[in-house]
Each structure stands twice: as structure tokens, then as C-alpha cells.
Amino acid sequence: MCRFVAYLGQPVTLARVVSEPDHSLIVQSYQPAEMTSGTVNVDGFGVGWYNRAVDPTPCVYTNICPIWSDRNLPGLSKHVASDCIFANVRSATPGQSVDQSNCQPFTYRQMLFMHNGYIENFRSTLMRPIRDALRDEYYTTIGGSTDSEHIFALILHNLHGKAASVDTMTAALMETIQQLSTWAEDRTVRIAVNVAITDGDCVVASRFANVGPAPSLYYARTPLFFSHGTVVASERLFADPQWMTVAEDTIIGFTNQGNVRQVRIPRVSDS
């Protein structure tokens, strides 16, 4: 299980998102409040952001050390600002290696992606069905061994040929979750798919688990701490009445204008 934050709005520093909140990702790495599995998030971290005046693709900085021990991040995060920032601290699933190829966020062209969740016994359950479903161009982008990166590849597969938008990313994420749910039901496998994906102009995120409670997820639109932005986070970063709980079985999406759309994810048993 991991913890993540996604921000979209007027430009802020990386530090504003990663380290300055009272319950920041730094704190959540050693003292998370709402983990449903695992106890700490010390198996690496990553930050992704955009500077579209220079290049349309995102920049990603990752490290396999705990986030609090990276000597370069404090200076970097005070001097880099962006209107779209993704950040993640990792708690590696047992059996998954701690190396740079497995650190999130993951990126493909203009897209950034993070996952907080798991696929039970991934390598022996859903790894092969996912890989078999992928177009070659997305199969060959997988550089690590995590369930998270495979989920990202499946979303990209389902988004193929469509321009990124709240609508198209929501549809691709919905299709992905339903595919994973069907495969998981056939194999009696538990999955949790809290993810966030962006093209830098809009963000789409989900809260879903096929068995038991899904990992926590919240969003806040123009809270005092981010008065010109919208933020989605695994745990509330600071005290503010603007925080809203994302309901289970829900996909939310928003643009830089801040309007939040929510769509229910149908259960496989509902169809």
C-alpha cells in the first residue's frame, strides 16, 4: 500500500504539495493514519510535474530511499513550481523489489500515473491476463515488475487512439477496473485500485476494491492551503472543512477550472 497526492491548479512549489502540509507525505511515510495494509511507506518515493513551456511531457524524480532521507529533494522542491504535481511514497508489496523501475509516478508520453492498492499474488494471478490484453506499444513500456505499472499500461491500452480528457480517461479507467474485476472474480483474487492519472490538464482518480473497504481517498477544491487548486490525496493533508471523502466504487475527474465530476463504478455482480 502507498500514499499519494495529486494537485491541479495555479502553479505552486513541489514543497507546497510534498512537505509543507501538517500531514504531508513526509509524515505519511513514517506515520500514516489510514493504512489498510502495511505500517510505513519507506520503500522509495517519486514526484512528477509539468513545465509545458519547455516540454509537454512530465518530469519525474524518484529515489528508492525513504522520502525524508533524500538530500536533494528539499532544495529541488523549493525551486520547482508547477500547475500539476503528482507525488507518491511507496510501501512495497511483499515480493516486489525496491528499485527505481518500481518507483511511482509512472509516465508515458504526456501522461502521469500513480496507484495506491494491490493485486493479490499479482505475478501468479493477473499479470499474464493483463499482458496478454495489451497492444505491443504499451506492453513494451513496462520497465518494472509492479502491479501498478501493469494497471497503467492497461489504462493506456483502453485509452488508445483517443485524446486525453476527463471523459476519455474516465471511460478508460472504468473499462480497466471492470476488466480487472472480472479477471479477479474468475480467480478469487482481491484487488484494490485507487489510482490517479493526468495529462497535465485534467486529473482522473478512482477509489475501488472488490473485497472489503477500499483504501482511503479524499479531495478538496480550493481549500485555504491550496486556494487556487484542487487536490486529491490518500489522507487529508491538513485540517480543512473543504475535504470530502471520495465514496467507494467511484471515479472522480476535474480540470484546472476545478469542477469535480463523480461517476459510480458498477460492480461485476451488478451486470
Side-chain angles (χ1 to χ4, degrees):
M1 199 69 69
C2 305
R3 305 279 84 177
F4 68 58
V5 178
Y7 170 84
L8 185 67
Q10 290 190 5
V12 296
T13 63
L14 303 186
R16 189 67 175 170
V17 174
V18 174
S19 58
E20 292 180 4
D22 293 336
H23 190 57
S24 69
L25 283 184
I26 306 286
V27 176
Q28 291 177 46
S29 66
Y30 61 80
Q31 196 173 28
E34 300 184 62
M35 294 270 282
T36 56
S37 66
T39 56
V40 291
N41 298 282
V42 297
D43 299 317
F45 72 91
V47 185
W49 68 92
Y50 292 81
N51 181 357
R52 283 177 292 270
V54 175
D55 193 286
T57 61
C59 181
V60 173
Y61 177 78
T62 62
N63 201 328
I64 61 173
C65 69
I67 191 170
W68 70 75
S69 66
D70 185 291
R71 63 178 297 182
N72 297 311
L73 184 63
L76 179 72
S77 63
K78 290 179 182 178
H79 291 87
V80 174
S82 178
D83 59 355
C84 183
I85 299 170
F86 271 31
N88 170 279
V89 288
R90 184 181 183 218
S91 175
T93 301
Q96 294 288 349
S97 61
V98 178
D99 60 46
Q100 290 250 342
S101 65
N102 287 337
C103 286
Q104 304 183 57
F106 296 116
T107 181
Y108 176 78
R109 295 182 179 175
Q110 83 276 22
M111 309 296 290
L112 270 175
F113 170 87
M114 303 181 292
H115 172 221
N116 167 28
Y118 59 88
I119 295 175
E120 187 178 25
N121 300 321
F122 170 63
R123 293 183 66 84
S124 60
T125 58
L126 300 196
M127 182 176 177
R128 183 61 179 269
I130 293 173
R131 288 193 169 207
D132 286 348
L134 296 175
R135 290 174 174 268
D136 287 347
E137 64 192 279
Y138 307 121
Y139 180 95
T140 55
T141 65
I142 298 172
S145 59
T146 62
D147 50 3
S148 304
E149 191 176 15
H150 284 71
I151 292 170
F152 181 34
L154 188 58
I155 295 171
L156 293 172
H157 171 88
N158 290 325
L159 188 62
H160 180 78
K162 305 178 184 72
S165 67
V166 169
D167 289 341
T168 59
M169 290 195 296
T170 296
L173 179 52
M174 180 79 74
E175 185 175 358
T176 298
I177 291 173
Q178 291 176 330
Q179 286 174 300
L180 294 172
S181 297
T182 298
W183 292 330
E185 184 177 59
D186 291 342
R187 293 161 178 80
T188 318
V189 170
R190 294 180 300 169
I191 63 172
V193 191
N194 279 31
V195 306
I197 186 168
T198 185
D199 66 339
D201 292 320
C202 56
V203 173
V204 171
S206 63
R207 184 183 181 202
F208 178 85
N210 66 340
V211 178
S216 57
L217 192 67
Y218 302 90
Y219 76 91
R221 180 184 176 192
T222 62
L224 185 61
F225 196 84
F226 295 115
S227 57
H228 298 286
T230 302
V231 62
V232 176
S234 301
E235 299 186 9
R236 288 164 287 200
L237 303 175
F238 40 80
D240 193 298
Q242 288 290 96
W243 284 111
M244 303 291 291
T245 300
V246 177
E248 296 200 36
D249 303 346
T250 299
I251 295 174
I252 68 170
F254 54 92
T255 65
N256 229 325
Q257 286 68 49
N259 297 320
V260 177
R261 290 183 45 195
Q262 302 194 46
V263 180
R264 181 179 176 273
I265 303 166
R267 290 272 173 168
V268 170
S269 57
D270 294 341
S271 55

